[in-house]
Amino acid sequence: MDGMLSQEEINALLGGADSEPDADAAAGADVSTASAGSEAGAEEHLTSEEGDALGEIANISMGTAATTLSVLLNNRVEITTPALSYVTVDDLKERNQAPCVFVYIAYRTGLEGRNVLVLKERDVKIITDLMMGGDGTNTDVELSDLHLSAISEAMNQMMGSSATSMSTMINEMVDISPPTSIRVDFDDDAGLQDVLADMMGNVYAQVSFKMVVGDLIDSEIIQLYPIPFARMVYERFKDTMQGSDPEPASQPAPAPQPTSAPQPAPQPMPQQMAAPQQQAAAMPQQPMMGVQQPMGGMPMYAMPPDLSIQPAQFQSFMPMQNLDGIAPENIDLIMDVPLEVTVELGRTSKSIKEILDFSPGTIIELDKLAGEPIDVLVNGKFVAKGEVVVIEENFGIRVTEIIKD
């Protein structure tokens, strides 16, 4: 009432002042925590420069791979410009409800790491059917090990050509191991985690391509890069680009070489032409041996008249056995060289579809008639004909005719 504060009010004010630094400290802690979280998130993403480089590398690699797949499928294949994004396992589950096929690509030379190609199950069936000689419409069958093996071979051809392109970009040989294909059901959380266990990390750089195969496929193919592997590819690519840069401007530029570009000869002025002509007129004309002096002042060399020209004479070759003192070739020197002898019962040709239908009990008809002589080849060269005999418990061949060239 009298304008003075009581002791309780003073204590209350001091207590409030003491609590304010605690609040500020708590707020500072929140800010530092948020900053640390954003830095951790930044580590799981590529920089804009790294992302642009990865997209360009993937674009060039897939362009080459599309050409290889087109030849393999005997169909038009287009793989368009890539789109880069970042995904987690949960994102993959949300975007891919149906089962997919994961194709592991492991780099064994030039680069160390792996990435994954993700294809839709239906697309795999179409590609496999085309590889087997079908029309690409046999997609109602269940995905089997045969489909996985065929798509692994297709991806091996594609990524092999892609690795060749990457070798050019990083100026070092790049090679891959044979790819492995796995059917992935996104409803199986534990199985999906196991599939991606070797990929390192929870966030992946996803490069998506639109893939068109004739009139059969208009879909998407995805490449998943672990962030560390994507950064390593970028660093190798950057080192190669820096290695090809020109010298810094601070260093003196090398002097131009005289042979870098042919320069036209300067045309002499009339005064310059007159002086040599006057000097030539003043000097006595003396003939030079082997040199003709035409108009224009340029000498032309001619053959002196007193030289005699004769055709070259060579000693005639004689057979070695007719030369005295020279021994004939000694075939004993190569008597111990082993040669591979092959007995060929017959041949035939089958399509991939017919070969895949082979099973125990399948009969293959050859191009030889019953009782017809069989062929004997030495290191792949046809040298004799013969007939089959049985020696104790082994088959043998009795030579009946020697083939002469």
Side-chain angles (χ1 to χ4, degrees):
M1 298 296 294
D2 55 1
M4 301 294 291
L5 296 175
S6 64
Q7 186 64 40
E8 290 80 3
E9 292 172 337
I10 293 173
N11 292 338
L13 289 174
L14 293 176
D18 293 340
S19 64
E20 289 178 1
D22 296 338
D24 294 340
D30 293 340
V31 171
S32 62
T33 302
S35 175
S38 63
E39 292 177 358
E43 292 179 356
E44 295 179 345
H45 286 216
L46 302 174
T47 64
S48 59
E49 185 178 4
E50 292 171 342
D52 292 342
L54 182 64
E56 182 63 23
I57 292 171
N59 187 30
I60 296 175
S61 301
M62 274 299 176
T64 307
T67 303
T68 303
L69 186 61
S70 176
V71 175
L72 190 63
L73 303 183
N74 195 23
N75 243 293
R76 175 179 57 90
V77 176
E78 296 179 1
I79 299 181
T80 60
T81 306
L84 177 65
S85 59
Y86 302 94
V87 295
T88 62
V89 175
D90 293 335
D91 296 333
L92 291 174
K93 291 173 56 179
E94 293 177 1
R95 300 177 186 179
N96 302 277
Q97 301 296 331
C100 292
V101 174
F102 279 28
V103 184
Y104 284 92
I105 311 298
Y107 293 84
R108 63 184 181 184
T109 304
L111 297 173
E112 296 180 1
R114 63 170 59 189
N115 60 10
V116 171
L117 287 172
V118 183
L119 297 97
K120 292 182 171 57
E121 185 179 26
R122 179 179 177 275
D123 299 342
V124 171
K125 293 178 181 178
I126 293 176
I127 293 174
T128 304
D129 190 39
L130 290 173
M131 290 178 63
M132 294 182 180
D135 57 2
T137 58
N138 187 20
T139 58
D140 295 333
V141 297
E142 183 179 356
L143 191 70
S144 62
D145 292 339
L146 178 61
H147 292 91
L148 297 179
S149 177
I151 199 64
S152 294
E153 178 58 27
M155 295 301 106
N156 186 32
Q157 298 286 339
M158 284 181 58
M159 300 311 296
S161 60
S162 173
T164 303
S165 298
M166 194 171 292
S167 300
T168 305
M169 286 183 278
I170 70 172
N171 198 22
E172 185 176 348
M173 178 181 177
V174 177
D175 195 11
I176 62 171
S177 299
T180 303
S181 301
I182 302 175
R183 183 182 183 274
V184 177
D185 189 352
F186 289 98
D187 294 333
D188 184 4
D189 293 338
L192 184 58
Q193 293 289 349
D194 293 339
V195 168
L196 295 175
D198 296 336
M199 288 288 290
M200 300 169 53
N202 297 321
V203 178
Y204 307 99
Q206 173 181 283
V207 185
S208 305
F209 303 86
K210 181 179 179 181
M211 181 175 66
V212 177
V213 179
D215 299 328
L216 301 170
I217 297 178
D218 188 354
S219 182
E220 185 180 51
I221 182 173
I222 295 173
Q223 272 187 304
L224 293 180
Y225 287 86
I227 299 298
F229 179 65
R231 286 202 176 102
M232 180 183 66
V233 173
Y234 166 74
E235 291 297 332
R236 301 294 297 277
F237 178 73
K238 183 180 70 172
D239 293 343
T240 303
M241 293 298 100
Q242 290 178 347
S244 62
D245 288 343
E247 296 181 356
S250 59
Q251 298 181 0
Q257 299 297 325
T259 58
S260 58
Q263 300 293 333
Q267 297 296 329
M269 298 296 291
Q271 295 83 355
Q272 297 174 347
M273 296 178 61
Q277 291 177 358
Q278 293 174 0
Q279 294 176 1
M283 296 177 61
Q285 300 295 328
Q286 296 181 359
M288 297 179 63
M289 180 64 66
V291 179
Q292 295 179 353
Q293 190 76 16
M295 296 181 62
M298 297 298 294
M300 293 182 60
Y301 292 90
M303 186 65 62
D306 56 346
L307 288 181
S308 61
I309 302 176
Q310 298 178 356
Q313 300 292 332
F314 299 98
Q315 184 178 3
S316 60
F317 291 100
M318 298 178 62
M320 295 189 63
Q321 60 269 22
N322 295 336
L323 296 177
D324 296 336
I326 300 180
E329 296 178 350
N330 189 358
I331 197 172
D332 294 337
L333 295 176
I334 60 172
M335 284 296 187
D336 295 334
V337 176
L339 300 177
E340 182 178 356
V341 179
T342 304
V343 177
E344 187 176 278
L345 184 61
R347 295 189 180 188
T348 188
S349 60
K350 298 288 184 183
S351 66
I352 294 178
K353 179 176 177 57
E354 292 172 325
I355 292 175
L356 293 175
D357 291 336
F358 284 177
S359 62
T362 300
I363 297 177
I364 304 174
E365 184 178 355
L366 303 177
D367 58 355
K368 291 282 187 179
L369 299 176
E372 186 177 352
I374 59 176
D375 299 334
V376 180
L377 298 89
V378 177
N379 275 15
K381 182 177 178 58
F382 182 34
V383 298
K385 292 183 178 182
E387 58 185 10
V388 178
V389 296
V390 177
I391 305 173
E392 295 182 353
E393 296 181 356
N394 297 326
F395 284 110
I397 177 71
R398 177 187 292 117
V399 176
T400 58
E401 180 183 356
I402 301 296
I403 304 301
K404 297 182 180 180
D405 294 337

